[in-house]
Amino acid sequence: DPDMPFVPSIPEDQFILVEEGDPTVIPCRTSDPKAQVTLINSLDKAVYAFYDSKQGFIGNFPAGSYTCKTMVKGMEFKSDEFLIYILRATSQLPVEIEALKTVYKTGETIVVTCVVFDNEVVNLQWNYPGKVKEKGLIKLDDIKVPSQKLVYTLTIPEASVKDTGDYECTARHATKEVKENKKVVITVHDKGFVHLEPQFSPLEAVNLHEVKNFVVDVQ
């Protein structure tokens, strides 16, 4: 089609997510398989890469915006703009689970944190006693400096004895068949569980030079 040398692209094709170091395709396809196509970056400079009219430009491209252009009967045509975003990802999934404490009293707030290192393309799921009732609040912090880490924080307000159990986070790589899970055991008591019983009165007297023992039973 000389009036539309580039096949129209859908919005999903224009935003390209690529794992660091992986090749990708900039899908500016032409209706004429013999068309001469040039790839242009955001600085309006030509980028040299292999071109396949049925797929587009194939190669390792830095993050940024790209446009394809071609000439038809002396007229220049440009494709839609394609945006490449580079994601940090490793083949392994380093994961750590952290809890400030593992023993709580009824009414306190449980806080458990799951941290995924060196990866941006991760799906993370929590399993915990209150999940069925959707009792937990989940927050995600994407930290990039000084290093990449995803910090998932699970908060259980107004804890009860029923919140006792395993708290597990499972991280799955979004593009590779890799997963990692970590677990911590949380215990919630109905009330304070330390009992002190002194074997002496609130006020005791002792003579000068006398040795006296004060005994406290702790249960």
Side-chain angles (χ1 to χ4, degrees):
D1 182 353
D3 295 323
M4 190 173 286
F6 287 107
V7 177
S9 57
I10 58 175
E12 289 81 356
D13 288 339
Q14 292 174 243
F15 191 73
I16 305 167
L17 298 176
V18 190
E19 289 183 28
E20 196 173 44
D22 284 357
T24 190
V25 176
I26 297 176
C28 51
R29 298 174 293 131
T30 53
S31 57
D32 178 4
K34 296 180 181 179
Q36 297 297 310
V37 184
T38 304
L39 181 63
I40 303 296
N41 62 17
S42 58
L43 301 175
D44 206 29
K45 292 186 177 180
V47 178
Y48 298 97
F50 174 77
Y51 182 72
D52 181 337
S53 63
K54 295 180 181 180
Q55 297 184 67
F57 283 97
I58 304 169
N60 291 80
F61 305 103
S65 64
Y66 295 85
T67 308
C68 304
K69 68 179 183 180
T70 187
M71 299 289 291
V72 178
K73 296 180 180 178
M75 289 185 61
E76 184 178 271
F77 289 84
K78 286 188 175 181
S79 71
D80 294 322
E81 184 181 43
F82 297 92
L83 297 172
I84 292 182
Y85 181 68
I86 305 295
L87 296 171
R88 171 95 176 143
T90 57
S91 57
Q92 301 299 315
L93 270 180
V95 178
E96 289 183 6
I97 194 166
E98 301 170 353
L100 293 177
K101 58 181 184 175
T102 57
V103 178
Y104 291 84
K105 288 191 297 182
T106 295
E108 291 186 323
T109 300
I110 298 173
V111 178
V112 182
T113 301
C114 197
V115 185
V116 182
F117 298 91
D118 299 326
N119 280 270
E120 290 180 283
V121 282
V122 171
N123 295 318
L124 188 130
Q125 290 183 326
W126 287 97
N127 280 310
Y128 55 96
K131 184 176 181 180
V132 176
K133 295 183 178 180
E134 298 182 348
K135 189 173 181 181
L137 305 172
I138 299 171
K139 185 182 76 166
L140 168 61
D141 292 309
D142 186 354
I143 299 171
K144 299 185 183 301
V145 178
S147 60
Q148 171 65 44
K149 62 181 179 180
L150 298 173
V151 182
Y152 297 84
T153 304
L154 172 66
T155 304
I156 311 289
E158 296 292 324
S160 70
V161 175
K162 293 181 180 179
D163 293 308
T164 294
D166 294 344
Y167 285 71
E168 184 179 49
C169 65
T170 302
R172 287 182 172 82
H173 203 292
T175 59
K176 297 182 176 69
E177 292 297 321
V178 180
K179 76 172 184 176
E180 184 72 32
N181 57 38
K182 296 287 182 177
K183 182 177 71 173
V184 64
V185 179
I186 300 289
T187 305
V188 182
H189 291 274
D190 187 37
K191 57 186 178 180
F193 51 88
V194 175
H195 179 64
L196 302 177
E197 189 172 322
Q199 297 180 4
F200 50 87
S201 305
L203 179 64
E204 291 280 349
V206 61
N207 294 323
L208 186 65
H209 304 306
E210 180 185 355
V211 175
K212 192 164 187 176
N213 291 325
F214 295 88
V215 179
V216 178
D217 285 338
V218 183
Q219 296 178 359

